[in-house]
Amino acid sequence: MRWTRYFINTLREVPADADVISQKLMMRSGMIRKVAAGIYTYLPLGLRSIKKMEAIVREEMNRAGAVELLMPAIQPAELWIESGRWSFYGKELLRIKDRHERDFIFGPTHEEVITETVRDAISSYRQLPVNLYQIQTKFRDEVRPRFGLMRGREFIMKDAYSFHTSRESLDQTYDVMRGAYSRIFDRCSLDHVPVEADTGNIGGSASHEFMVLAQSGEDAVVACPSCHYGANVEKATSQFFREAQESIAQQQLREITTPGTQTIDDVGRFLGVPTSELVKTLVFRTENGTVMVLVRGDRQGNEVKIKNFLGTQTLELLPDSEFATAVGGPVGYCGPVGTKAGRVVADNSLKGMSNWTVGGNKVDTHTGNANPGRDFPEPEYGDFTAAEAGDPCVRCGTPLEIHRGIEVGHIFKLGTKYSKAMNCVYLDESSQRQPMIMGCYGLGIGRTVAAAIEQSHDNDGIIWPVPIAPFEVVVTVVGREENVGSAAEQIYAQLVDAGIDVLLDDRDERPGVKFKDADLIGFPFRIVIGSKSLANGNVEWSTRRDREKKLGEPAAVVSTVIEQVRAARSV
RNA sequence: CGGGGCAUAGCUCAGCCUGGUAGAGCGCACGGUUCGGGACCGUGAGGUCGGAGGUUCAAGUCCUCUUGCCCCGACCA
């Protein structure tokens, strides 16, 4: 491809609404263009990377035994009513009506359609398992789209769904898919880590997220440097609390006046004790009433863990205005002693601790030496706090690390949630109807490409991993002399013949402009044909990563570059 | 959904407080000088100032409403 006949518009200035590096670089290099909030055009350059990413995913899915199909982007409401998610999914689900006023949705995911498809096609255990995937444009009406392709509303996703007659069969496919995911991200040279994750609204028994480690990641992941335990902080458990705490003699309950101490830090400062020796009270509203959650003062409550423990559909912090009636204590001074809250639970870190300092359910008052079982009913204990860096690993005790990560893939063991709701059954060996056991496997195509940029760039632009670079090589013409042009054409033709994705920069531009553009777009290899070196029979080549210029005869440079591109394709 | 901000040329922005001829840089076109890391000089094209209504002799500027976009938070396969 020749630059002058291609469609590239690079920007010298950073578009005002770009907020992460990958988005800035993709917009500046002319890969994407924003059309509306969270909605982008993939320009030719961007589309090439997307297509390469898709090709890698296809190869690995096929290798893993998955079979490709393509489901509609628009789905009828009936399917979602049947699964129960029509009323449950909320505003993120883009609902639309056709000319007959019939309800449809723009699919954010395809469990319903695939379940219906398999339900109709498969009736016997002999036909299972199956594993079907598609690469489809999806739409989720995110409240706040941002970060370009990393969190768009319209986005391209690979999603796969597997159907089984047994847990063992599901486990097997799950492991194969997990391996396929690792291969995919390895092939893109992405520094990634699979972590245990919460299953969220999708439901199911087990789940892993594939996180690409990057500063700008929206998720925090906990990783153990020695035993490879990894988990989303929403899921991660640690054992930070003191084990077998020595039991200290229970002392007499007392009221402490603590004026103007609404936060736990205030209380600690006022009393002159570390916050780890205080008890923090969080109050939530759920569909089953008010719940009081007690955690150690220096710890953050984790709503996902709390919600999972309580088994409720909704969980939100109680509005200040409802404290008086629902809890019986003012904001900032709530505590378990004599509370009106229906249910009180406490974090494991408080188990065995005596003489708690808690809110006194009265303005400017705390209660000291409160003891569960004596001064208030013994609470239920559970894991309600987020793991923190330095906490001992739950498996091996090594201090945990916390990293930022971009969720590029998420796989679930769904179980029978959808097959039961939608009557997706088969007949087993004894002619019994059984719900199929399902797994589902998502992978964000655009997000993965963006993640690659987040992880691999410098001040001048993108540094593409070869497998997803829009072009592998740029041939830069420097100088107008006849022989320079013809030498470049020759080299270009040789690379094309060798099946290399090469762009010939044949623009009538100054060298500086061409070099800046090449760095910005991030071609992994660059060959420069300039009049000076050509006079000595040489051309120059370099990689984007180190930009070290090397001279050589044209034929030798061409064969070296071809060799290196081929080697880099199959990392 | 709460709080805040922005909307003027293809892009980045000034002008608004204090109403009176629509601006700059980049990009683009043309001419010239340049030509190995985003050159320089000259000329030029390009704008319903997001939209609607109002105040006024006069509105990019003041007021009201509205739409879009961005940020913080909450939310989130």
Side-chain angles (χ1 to χ4, degrees), chain A residues 12-13 16 19 34 109 144 151 157 201-202 480 510 519 526 540:
Chain A
R12 190 181 300 204
E13 288 181 88
D19 36 38
K34 192 168 86 167
T109 172
R144 189 145 93 82
R151 195 173 179 71
M157 184 173 209
N201 283 347
I202 286 274
R480 302 199 161 62
R510 299 167 62 82
D519 286 350
R526 190 182 77 185
E540 171 194 303

Short mmCIF file of all heavy atoms in Angstrom, two decimals, chain A residues 12-13 16 19 34 109 144 151 157 201-202 480 510 519 526 540, chain B residues 1 12 25 27 34-39 69-72 75-77:
data_model
loop_
_atom_site.label_atom_id
_atom_site.label_comp_id
_atom_site.label_asym_id
_atom_site.label_seq_id
_atom_site.Cartn_x
_atom_site.Cartn_y
_atom_site.Cartn_z
N ARG A 12 -1.40 16.50 14.91
CA ARG A 12 -0.27 16.92 15.70
C ARG A 12 -0.71 17.20 17.14
O ARG A 12 0.00 16.94 18.09
CB ARG A 12 0.37 18.17 15.11
CG ARG A 12 1.67 18.50 15.77
CD ARG A 12 2.28 19.74 15.21
NE ARG A 12 2.54 19.65 13.78
CZ ARG A 12 3.44 20.38 13.16
NH1 ARG A 12 4.15 21.24 13.83
NH2 ARG A 12 3.62 20.28 11.86
N GLU A 13 -1.91 17.70 17.27
CA GLU A 13 -2.37 18.03 18.61
C GLU A 13 -3.30 16.95 19.16
O GLU A 13 -3.95 16.24 18.42
CB GLU A 13 -3.09 19.38 18.59
CG GLU A 13 -2.08 20.50 18.40
CD GLU A 13 -2.72 21.86 18.41
OE1 GLU A 13 -2.85 22.41 19.50
OE2 GLU A 13 -3.06 22.35 17.33
N ALA A 16 -9.16 17.20 22.42
CA ALA A 16 -9.48 17.64 23.78
C ALA A 16 -10.15 16.57 24.62
O ALA A 16 -9.99 16.55 25.83
CB ALA A 16 -10.36 18.88 23.72
N ASP A 19 -8.64 10.95 27.04
CA ASP A 19 -8.15 10.98 28.41
C ASP A 19 -7.19 9.86 28.79
O ASP A 19 -6.57 9.93 29.83
CB ASP A 19 -9.30 11.06 29.42
CG ASP A 19 -10.49 10.26 28.96
OD1 ASP A 19 -10.28 9.17 28.40
OD2 ASP A 19 -11.61 10.72 29.15
N LYS A 34 -13.94 9.66 16.86
CA LYS A 34 -15.14 9.60 17.69
C LYS A 34 -16.34 10.17 16.93
O LYS A 34 -16.26 11.25 16.35
CB LYS A 34 -14.93 10.37 18.98
CG LYS A 34 -16.05 10.08 19.98
CD LYS A 34 -15.72 10.59 21.35
CE LYS A 34 -16.13 12.04 21.45
NZ LYS A 34 -16.11 12.50 22.84
N THR A 109 -25.02 -8.67 24.98
CA THR A 109 -24.47 -10.00 25.21
C THR A 109 -25.49 -10.95 24.59
O THR A 109 -26.58 -10.54 24.21
CB THR A 109 -24.27 -10.26 26.72
OG1 THR A 109 -23.91 -11.63 26.90
CG2 THR A 109 -25.53 -9.98 27.50
N ARG A 144 -21.25 6.25 31.78
CA ARG A 144 -20.17 7.17 31.46
C ARG A 144 -19.10 6.49 30.61
O ARG A 144 -18.14 5.94 31.14
CB ARG A 144 -19.53 7.69 32.75
CG ARG A 144 -18.55 8.81 32.49
CD ARG A 144 -18.59 9.81 33.60
NE ARG A 144 -17.60 9.50 34.62
CZ ARG A 144 -16.33 9.84 34.53
NH1 ARG A 144 -15.90 10.46 33.47
NH2 ARG A 144 -15.50 9.56 35.50
N ARG A 151 -13.52 1.58 26.93
CA ARG A 151 -14.80 1.57 27.59
C ARG A 151 -15.81 2.32 26.73
O ARG A 151 -16.33 3.37 27.11
CB ARG A 151 -14.70 2.23 28.97
CG ARG A 151 -15.87 1.95 29.88
CD ARG A 151 -15.54 2.50 31.25
NE ARG A 151 -16.58 2.33 32.24
CZ ARG A 151 -16.93 1.19 32.79
NH1 ARG A 151 -16.37 0.08 32.41
NH2 ARG A 151 -17.87 1.15 33.71
N MET A 157 -16.78 -7.58 20.30
CA MET A 157 -16.43 -8.57 21.30
C MET A 157 -16.51 -9.96 20.70
O MET A 157 -17.34 -10.22 19.83
CB MET A 157 -17.45 -8.46 22.43
CG MET A 157 -17.17 -9.37 23.58
SD MET A 157 -18.33 -8.97 24.89
CE MET A 157 -17.37 -9.44 26.28
N ASN A 201 -23.55 -10.04 37.70
CA ASN A 201 -24.92 -10.31 37.28
C ASN A 201 -25.08 -11.55 36.43
O ASN A 201 -26.17 -12.09 36.30
CB ASN A 201 -25.46 -9.12 36.48
CG ASN A 201 -25.83 -7.98 37.40
OD1 ASN A 201 -25.91 -8.18 38.61
ND2 ASN A 201 -26.06 -6.82 36.83
N ILE A 202 -24.01 -11.96 35.79
CA ILE A 202 -24.08 -13.11 34.91
C ILE A 202 -24.37 -14.37 35.71
O ILE A 202 -25.05 -15.27 35.27
CB ILE A 202 -22.76 -13.26 34.12
CG1 ILE A 202 -22.69 -12.19 33.05
CG2 ILE A 202 -22.61 -14.62 33.55
CD1 ILE A 202 -23.35 -12.55 31.76
N ARG A 480 14.31 13.23 -3.42
CA ARG A 480 13.50 13.17 -4.64
C ARG A 480 14.22 12.54 -5.82
O ARG A 480 13.66 12.43 -6.89
CB ARG A 480 13.14 14.58 -5.10
CG ARG A 480 12.42 15.37 -4.11
CD ARG A 480 11.73 16.52 -4.80
NE ARG A 480 10.71 16.99 -3.90
CZ ARG A 480 10.99 17.48 -2.72
NH1 ARG A 480 12.23 17.60 -2.32
NH2 ARG A 480 10.02 17.86 -1.92
N ARG A 510 8.66 16.52 3.96
CA ARG A 510 10.01 16.60 4.50
C ARG A 510 10.27 15.36 5.36
O ARG A 510 9.36 14.79 5.94
CB ARG A 510 10.15 17.85 5.35
CG ARG A 510 9.92 19.14 4.57
CD ARG A 510 9.77 20.30 5.50
NE ARG A 510 10.98 20.51 6.29
CZ ARG A 510 12.05 21.16 5.87
NH1 ARG A 510 12.06 21.68 4.66
NH2 ARG A 510 13.10 21.31 6.64
N ASP A 519 6.83 7.16 13.66
CA ASP A 519 6.94 6.88 15.09
C ASP A 519 5.57 6.89 15.75
O ASP A 519 5.28 6.07 16.62
CB ASP A 519 7.84 7.92 15.77
CG ASP A 519 9.32 7.69 15.45
OD1 ASP A 519 9.63 6.64 14.88
OD2 ASP A 519 10.12 8.57 15.79
N ARG A 526 11.16 -0.13 10.13
CA ARG A 526 11.23 0.98 9.20
C ARG A 526 12.47 0.82 8.33
O ARG A 526 13.55 0.54 8.83
CB ARG A 526 11.33 2.30 9.98
CG ARG A 526 11.16 3.53 9.11
CD ARG A 526 11.32 4.79 9.95
NE ARG A 526 12.74 5.06 10.22
CZ ARG A 526 13.16 6.05 11.01
NH1 ARG A 526 12.30 6.83 11.63
NH2 ARG A 526 14.45 6.24 11.20
N GLU A 540 18.91 2.10 5.13
CA GLU A 540 18.95 2.05 6.59
C GLU A 540 17.70 1.35 7.10
O GLU A 540 16.63 1.49 6.53
CB GLU A 540 18.99 3.49 7.10
CG GLU A 540 18.81 3.66 8.58
CD GLU A 540 18.52 5.12 8.88
OE1 GLU A 540 19.33 5.99 8.52
OE2 GLU A 540 17.44 5.39 9.47
P C B 1 -31.32 10.14 34.36
OP1 C B 1 -32.71 9.85 34.58
OP2 C B 1 -30.95 11.29 33.58
"O5'" C B 1 -30.59 10.19 35.78
"C5'" C B 1 -31.37 9.86 36.88
"C4'" C B 1 -30.50 9.87 38.11
"O4'" C B 1 -29.44 8.88 37.97
"C3'" C B 1 -29.71 11.14 38.37
"O3'" C B 1 -30.52 12.17 38.92
"C2'" C B 1 -28.65 10.66 39.33
"O2'" C B 1 -29.17 10.50 40.62
"C1'" C B 1 -28.33 9.28 38.74
N1 C B 1 -27.12 9.35 37.86
C2 C B 1 -25.86 9.40 38.47
O2 C B 1 -25.80 9.38 39.71
N3 C B 1 -24.76 9.47 37.70
C4 C B 1 -24.87 9.50 36.38
N4 C B 1 -23.77 9.57 35.65
C5 C B 1 -26.15 9.46 35.73
C6 C B 1 -27.24 9.38 36.50
P U B 12 -9.96 19.61 19.20
OP1 U B 12 -10.15 18.58 20.24
OP2 U B 12 -11.08 20.49 18.80
"O5'" U B 12 -8.74 20.54 19.62
"C5'" U B 12 -7.55 19.97 20.16
"C4'" U B 12 -6.61 21.07 20.56
"O4'" U B 12 -6.20 21.81 19.38
"C3'" U B 12 -7.21 22.14 21.46
"O3'" U B 12 -7.23 21.73 22.81
"C2'" U B 12 -6.29 23.33 21.20
"O2'" U B 12 -5.06 23.17 21.89
"C1'" U B 12 -6.01 23.18 19.70
N1 U B 12 -6.94 24.00 18.89
C2 U B 12 -6.62 25.33 18.69
O2 U B 12 -5.63 25.85 19.16
N3 U B 12 -7.52 26.03 17.92
C4 U B 12 -8.68 25.55 17.35
O4 U B 12 -9.39 26.31 16.69
C5 U B 12 -8.95 24.17 17.60
C6 U B 12 -8.09 23.45 18.35
P G B 25 -1.42 33.20 13.03
OP1 G B 25 -0.17 33.85 12.60
OP2 G B 25 -2.49 32.93 12.04
"O5'" G B 25 -1.07 31.84 13.77
"C5'" G B 25 0.01 31.76 14.69
"C4'" G B 25 0.05 30.40 15.32
"O4'" G B 25 -1.18 30.20 16.09
"C3'" G B 25 0.04 29.24 14.34
"O3'" G B 25 1.32 28.95 13.84
"C2'" G B 25 -0.52 28.10 15.21
"O2'" G B 25 0.47 27.62 16.10
"C1'" G B 25 -1.59 28.86 16.01
N9 G B 25 -2.88 28.79 15.32
C8 G B 25 -3.45 29.74 14.51
N7 G B 25 -4.62 29.37 14.03
C5 G B 25 -4.81 28.10 14.54
C6 G B 25 -5.89 27.19 14.36
O6 G B 25 -6.91 27.34 13.70
N1 G B 25 -5.67 26.00 15.06
C2 G B 25 -4.57 25.73 15.83
N2 G B 25 -4.54 24.53 16.41
N3 G B 25 -3.56 26.57 16.00
C4 G B 25 -3.75 27.72 15.34
P G B 27 1.29 23.06 9.92
OP1 G B 27 2.36 22.11 9.62
OP2 G B 27 1.36 24.45 9.39
"O5'" G B 27 -0.10 22.44 9.46
"C5'" G B 27 -0.40 21.07 9.71
"C4'" G B 27 -1.82 20.75 9.29
"O4'" G B 27 -2.74 21.60 10.02
"C3'" G B 27 -2.14 21.03 7.83
"O3'" G B 27 -1.75 19.96 6.99
"C2'" G B 27 -3.65 21.21 7.87
"O2'" G B 27 -4.30 19.96 7.97
"C1'" G B 27 -3.82 21.96 9.19
N9 G B 27 -3.79 23.41 8.97
C8 G B 27 -2.79 24.28 9.29
N7 G B 27 -3.06 25.52 8.96
C5 G B 27 -4.32 25.45 8.39
C6 G B 27 -5.13 26.48 7.84
O6 G B 27 -4.89 27.69 7.76
N1 G B 27 -6.33 25.98 7.35
C2 G B 27 -6.70 24.65 7.40
N2 G B 27 -7.89 24.36 6.88
N3 G B 27 -5.96 23.69 7.91
C4 G B 27 -4.78 24.17 8.38
P U B 34 16.89 27.22 -2.58
OP1 U B 34 18.34 27.41 -2.67
OP2 U B 34 16.20 26.32 -3.52
"O5'" U B 34 16.55 26.80 -1.08
"C5'" U B 34 16.90 25.53 -0.61
"C4'" U B 34 16.32 25.35 0.77
"O4'" U B 34 14.90 25.68 0.75
"C3'" U B 34 16.36 23.91 1.23
"O3'" U B 34 17.61 23.61 1.82
"C2'" U B 34 15.21 23.85 2.24
"O2'" U B 34 15.60 24.37 3.48
"C1'" U B 34 14.19 24.79 1.58
N1 U B 34 13.20 24.09 0.74
C2 U B 34 12.30 23.23 1.37
O2 U B 34 12.31 23.02 2.57
N3 U B 34 11.41 22.63 0.53
C4 U B 34 11.30 22.79 -0.82
O4 U B 34 10.44 22.18 -1.45
C5 U B 34 12.26 23.68 -1.40
C6 U B 34 13.15 24.28 -0.61
P C B 35 18.43 22.38 1.23
OP1 C B 35 19.81 22.50 1.72
OP2 C B 35 18.16 22.27 -0.22
"O5'" C B 35 17.71 21.16 1.94
"C5'" C B 35 17.31 21.24 3.33
"C4'" C B 35 16.39 20.09 3.62
"O4'" C B 35 15.14 20.31 2.91
"C3'" C B 35 16.95 18.76 3.14
"O3'" C B 35 16.70 17.77 4.12
"C2'" C B 35 16.16 18.46 1.88
"O2'" C B 35 15.92 17.08 1.67
"C1'" C B 35 14.80 19.17 2.16
N1 C B 35 14.19 19.58 0.90
C2 C B 35 12.94 19.02 0.55
O2 C B 35 12.39 18.24 1.34
N3 C B 35 12.38 19.37 -0.62
C4 C B 35 13.01 20.22 -1.44
N4 C B 35 12.42 20.52 -2.58
C5 C B 35 14.27 20.78 -1.11
C6 C B 35 14.82 20.44 0.06
P G B 36 17.96 16.92 4.73
OP1 G B 36 18.51 17.69 5.88
OP2 G B 36 18.87 16.44 3.67
"O5'" G B 36 17.11 15.68 5.29
"C5'" G B 36 16.09 15.87 6.26
"C4'" G B 36 16.35 14.97 7.45
"O4'" G B 36 16.41 13.61 6.97
"C3'" G B 36 17.67 15.23 8.14
"O3'" G B 36 17.54 14.97 9.53
"C2'" G B 36 18.61 14.19 7.56
"O2'" G B 36 19.64 13.82 8.42
"C1'" G B 36 17.63 13.02 7.37
N9 G B 36 18.03 12.07 6.35
C8 G B 36 18.29 12.32 5.03
N7 G B 36 18.62 11.24 4.38
C5 G B 36 18.60 10.23 5.34
C6 G B 36 18.89 8.86 5.23
O6 G B 36 19.23 8.24 4.24
N1 G B 36 18.74 8.22 6.44
C2 G B 36 18.37 8.83 7.61
N2 G B 36 18.27 8.04 8.68
N3 G B 36 18.10 10.11 7.73
C4 G B 36 18.24 10.74 6.56
P G B 37 16.91 15.98 10.53
OP1 G B 37 17.00 17.36 10.02
OP2 G B 37 17.40 15.65 11.88
"O5'" G B 37 15.42 15.45 10.40
"C5'" G B 37 14.30 16.36 10.41
"C4'" G B 37 13.43 16.06 11.59
"O4'" G B 37 13.24 14.61 11.67
"C3'" G B 37 13.98 16.49 12.94
"O3'" G B 37 12.90 16.91 13.75
"C2'" G B 37 14.54 15.20 13.53
"O2'" G B 37 14.51 15.21 14.94
"C1'" G B 37 13.55 14.19 12.98
N9 G B 37 14.05 12.82 12.90
C8 G B 37 15.21 12.38 12.33
N7 G B 37 15.35 11.09 12.40
C5 G B 37 14.22 10.66 13.07
C6 G B 37 13.80 9.36 13.45
O6 G B 37 14.39 8.29 13.26
N1 G B 37 12.60 9.37 14.10
C2 G B 37 11.87 10.50 14.35
N2 G B 37 10.72 10.32 14.99
N3 G B 37 12.22 11.72 14.01
C4 G B 37 13.41 11.72 13.38
P G B 38 12.43 18.44 13.49
OP1 G B 38 13.39 19.34 12.83
OP2 G B 38 11.86 18.76 14.81
"O5'" G B 38 11.26 18.20 12.45
"C5'" G B 38 10.10 17.49 12.85
"C4'" G B 38 8.96 17.93 11.99
"O4'" G B 38 7.83 17.11 12.26
"C3'" G B 38 8.51 19.38 12.22
"O3'" G B 38 7.99 19.84 10.98
"C2'" G B 38 7.35 19.19 13.20
"O2'" G B 38 6.38 20.24 13.04
"C1'" G B 38 6.74 17.91 12.70
N9 G B 38 5.95 17.08 13.58
C8 G B 38 5.97 16.88 14.93
N7 G B 38 5.08 16.00 15.35
C5 G B 38 4.45 15.61 14.18
C6 G B 38 3.40 14.70 13.95
O6 G B 38 2.80 14.00 14.76
N1 G B 38 3.06 14.60 12.62
C2 G B 38 3.65 15.33 11.61
N2 G B 38 3.21 15.13 10.38
N3 G B 38 4.66 16.19 11.79
C4 G B 38 4.98 16.26 13.09
P A B 39 8.92 20.66 9.99
OP1 A B 39 7.97 21.12 8.95
OP2 A B 39 10.13 19.88 9.66
"O5'" A B 39 9.46 21.90 10.83
"C5'" A B 39 9.03 23.20 10.53
"C4'" A B 39 10.21 23.98 9.98
"O4'" A B 39 10.71 23.35 8.78
"C3'" A B 39 9.81 25.37 9.53
"O3'" A B 39 9.81 26.25 10.63
"C2'" A B 39 10.90 25.70 8.51
"O2'" A B 39 12.08 26.10 9.14
"C1'" A B 39 11.12 24.33 7.86
N9 A B 39 10.37 24.16 6.62
C8 A B 39 9.36 23.28 6.37
N7 A B 39 8.90 23.33 5.14
C5 A B 39 9.66 24.31 4.54
C6 A B 39 9.67 24.83 3.23
N6 A B 39 8.87 24.43 2.27
N1 A B 39 10.58 25.81 2.97
C2 A B 39 11.39 26.22 3.94
N3 A B 39 11.48 25.80 5.20
C4 A B 39 10.58 24.83 5.44
P C B 69 -23.25 12.90 23.48
OP1 C B 69 -22.86 11.73 22.67
OP2 C B 69 -24.09 12.73 24.68
"O5'" C B 69 -21.92 13.67 23.94
"C5'" C B 69 -20.85 13.82 23.03
"C4'" C B 69 -19.82 14.77 23.60
"O4'" C B 69 -20.45 16.03 23.95
"C3'" C B 69 -19.16 14.35 24.90
"O3'" C B 69 -18.16 13.37 24.71
"C2'" C B 69 -18.59 15.69 25.38
"O2'" C B 69 -17.46 16.04 24.64
"C1'" C B 69 -19.74 16.63 25.01
N1 C B 69 -20.65 16.86 26.15
C2 C B 69 -20.24 17.76 27.15
O2 C B 69 -19.13 18.31 27.03
N3 C B 69 -21.05 18.00 28.20
C4 C B 69 -22.22 17.39 28.29
N4 C B 69 -22.98 17.66 29.35
C5 C B 69 -22.67 16.46 27.29
C6 C B 69 -21.86 16.23 26.24
P C B 70 -17.81 12.39 25.92
OP1 C B 70 -16.91 11.37 25.36
OP2 C B 70 -19.05 11.99 26.61
"O5'" C B 70 -16.99 13.32 26.91
"C5'" C B 70 -15.70 13.80 26.54
"C4'" C B 70 -15.19 14.76 27.59
"O4'" C B 70 -16.12 15.87 27.74
"C3'" C B 70 -15.09 14.20 29.00
"O3'" C B 70 -13.95 13.40 29.19
"C2'" C B 70 -15.05 15.49 29.82
"O2'" C B 70 -13.79 16.11 29.71
"C1'" C B 70 -16.08 16.33 29.08
N1 C B 70 -17.43 16.23 29.66
C2 C B 70 -17.68 16.94 30.84
O2 C B 70 -16.78 17.61 31.35
N3 C B 70 -18.93 16.87 31.40
C4 C B 70 -19.88 16.13 30.83
N4 C B 70 -21.06 16.09 31.42
C5 C B 70 -19.63 15.38 29.63
C6 C B 70 -18.41 15.46 29.09
P C B 71 -13.97 12.26 30.29
OP1 C B 71 -12.77 11.45 30.09
OP2 C B 71 -15.30 11.61 30.33
"O5'" C B 71 -13.82 13.10 31.63
"C5'" C B 71 -12.61 13.79 31.92
"C4'" C B 71 -12.75 14.57 33.21
"O4'" C B 71 -13.84 15.53 33.06
"C3'" C B 71 -13.17 13.78 34.42
"O3'" C B 71 -12.08 13.09 35.01
"C2'" C B 71 -13.74 14.86 35.32
"O2'" C B 71 -12.72 15.63 35.91
"C1'" C B 71 -14.48 15.72 34.31
N1 C B 71 -15.90 15.34 34.18
C2 C B 71 -16.79 15.76 35.18
O2 C B 71 -16.35 16.41 36.14
N3 C B 71 -18.10 15.45 35.08
C4 C B 71 -18.54 14.74 34.03
N4 C B 71 -19.84 14.46 33.97
C5 C B 71 -17.65 14.29 33.00
C6 C B 71 -16.36 14.62 33.12
P C B 72 -12.35 11.69 35.70
OP1 C B 72 -11.03 11.06 35.90
OP2 C B 72 -13.39 10.96 34.97
"O5'" C B 72 -12.97 12.09 37.11
"C5'" C B 72 -12.27 12.92 38.02
"C4'" C B 72 -13.12 13.19 39.24
"O4'" C B 72 -14.19 14.11 38.89
"C3'" C B 72 -13.87 11.99 39.79
"O3'" C B 72 -13.06 11.14 40.59
"C2'" C B 72 -14.99 12.66 40.58
"O2'" C B 72 -14.50 13.18 41.80
"C1'" C B 72 -15.35 13.80 39.66
N1 C B 72 -16.44 13.41 38.73
C2 C B 72 -17.76 13.48 39.20
O2 C B 72 -17.97 13.85 40.36
N3 C B 72 -18.77 13.11 38.37
C4 C B 72 -18.50 12.70 37.13
N4 C B 72 -19.53 12.36 36.36
C5 C B 72 -17.17 12.63 36.63
C6 C B 72 -16.18 12.99 37.46
P C B 75 -21.14 1.97 43.76
OP1 C B 75 -21.72 1.03 44.72
OP2 C B 75 -19.69 1.96 43.49
"O5'" C B 75 -21.89 1.81 42.36
"C5'" C B 75 -23.30 1.60 42.31
"C4'" C B 75 -23.73 1.51 40.87
"O4'" C B 75 -23.24 2.67 40.15
"C3'" C B 75 -23.14 0.34 40.08
"O3'" C B 75 -23.89 -0.86 40.28
"C2'" C B 75 -23.24 0.83 38.65
"O2'" C B 75 -24.55 0.73 38.15
"C1'" C B 75 -22.91 2.31 38.83
N1 C B 75 -21.47 2.57 38.62
C2 C B 75 -21.00 2.72 37.30
O2 C B 75 -21.82 2.62 36.37
N3 C B 75 -19.69 2.96 37.08
C4 C B 75 -18.85 3.05 38.11
N4 C B 75 -17.57 3.30 37.84
C5 C B 75 -19.29 2.90 39.45
C6 C B 75 -20.59 2.67 39.66
P C B 76 -23.12 -2.25 40.39
OP1 C B 76 -24.11 -3.26 40.74
OP2 C B 76 -21.91 -2.10 41.21
"O5'" C B 76 -22.64 -2.51 38.89
"C5'" C B 76 -23.59 -2.68 37.86
"C4'" C B 76 -22.85 -2.78 36.56
"O4'" C B 76 -22.12 -1.55 36.33
"C3'" C B 76 -21.79 -3.86 36.52
"O3'" C B 76 -22.35 -5.11 36.16
"C2'" C B 76 -20.82 -3.34 35.46
"O2'" C B 76 -21.28 -3.63 34.17
"C1'" C B 76 -20.90 -1.83 35.68
N1 C B 76 -19.79 -1.31 36.51
C2 C B 76 -18.58 -0.97 35.88
O2 C B 76 -18.49 -1.12 34.66
N3 C B 76 -17.57 -0.49 36.63
C4 C B 76 -17.71 -0.35 37.94
N4 C B 76 -16.68 0.13 38.63
C5 C B 76 -18.91 -0.69 38.61
C6 C B 76 -19.92 -1.17 37.87
P A B 77 -21.83 -6.46 36.87
OP1 A B 77 -22.93 -7.44 37.03
OP2 A B 77 -21.08 -6.03 38.04
"O5'" A B 77 -20.81 -7.06 35.80
"C5'" A B 77 -21.23 -8.06 34.93
"C4'" A B 77 -20.09 -8.38 34.00
"O4'" A B 77 -20.38 -9.59 33.29
"C3'" A B 77 -19.87 -7.38 32.89
"O3'" A B 77 -19.02 -6.34 33.36
"C2'" A B 77 -19.22 -8.18 31.78
"O2'" A B 77 -17.82 -8.16 31.88
"C1'" A B 77 -19.74 -9.59 32.05
N9 A B 77 -20.64 -10.01 31.01
C8 A B 77 -21.99 -10.20 31.05
N7 A B 77 -22.48 -10.60 29.90
C5 A B 77 -21.39 -10.66 29.08
C6 A B 77 -21.23 -11.03 27.72
N6 A B 77 -22.24 -11.41 26.95
N1 A B 77 -19.99 -11.00 27.20
C2 A B 77 -18.99 -10.62 27.97
N3 A B 77 -19.01 -10.26 29.26
C4 A B 77 -20.25 -10.31 29.75
#
